[in-house]
Amino acid sequence: MATTKTATVTFRIDPAVKEALRTAAAREHRSIANMVEVLIRDYCGRNGITIPEQGDLLGDEKKR
């Protein structure tokens, strides 16, 4: 089984927003990181922003 590569993102947010994120993640039984990814994917889907599949990105790296 191939391992999934991930990227690290570090950012600062208002403590109240972080607590809301923590609450949302808990309600969905998700980690905070996974909840952020779900929210970003939802936003992109609603706004016509395409997110390439990870396999497509890895294929591009191999061609270089």
Side-chain angles (χ1 to χ4, degrees):
M1 175 186 266
T3 58
T4 303
K5 292 186 178 183
T6 60
T8 300
V9 178
T10 303
F11 55 92
R12 294 180 180 275
I13 59 173
D14 183 275
V17 174
K18 182 178 180 183
E19 189 56 38
L21 175 60
R22 192 184 319 256
T23 299
R27 286 185 183 178
E28 296 282 323
H29 304 287
R30 298 179 182 276
S31 67
I32 290 175
N34 182 255
M35 191 70 213
V36 169
E37 182 174 347
V38 167
L39 293 169
I40 291 169
R41 288 182 178 279
D42 179 61
Y43 176 89
C44 290
R46 288 184 287 110
N47 290 282
I49 301 169
T50 303
I51 301 174
E53 293 296 320
Q54 190 170 34
D56 296 341
L57 293 174
L58 293 176
D60 289 343
E61 286 179 8
K62 291 179 183 176
K63 292 177 185 175
R64 292 180 191 179

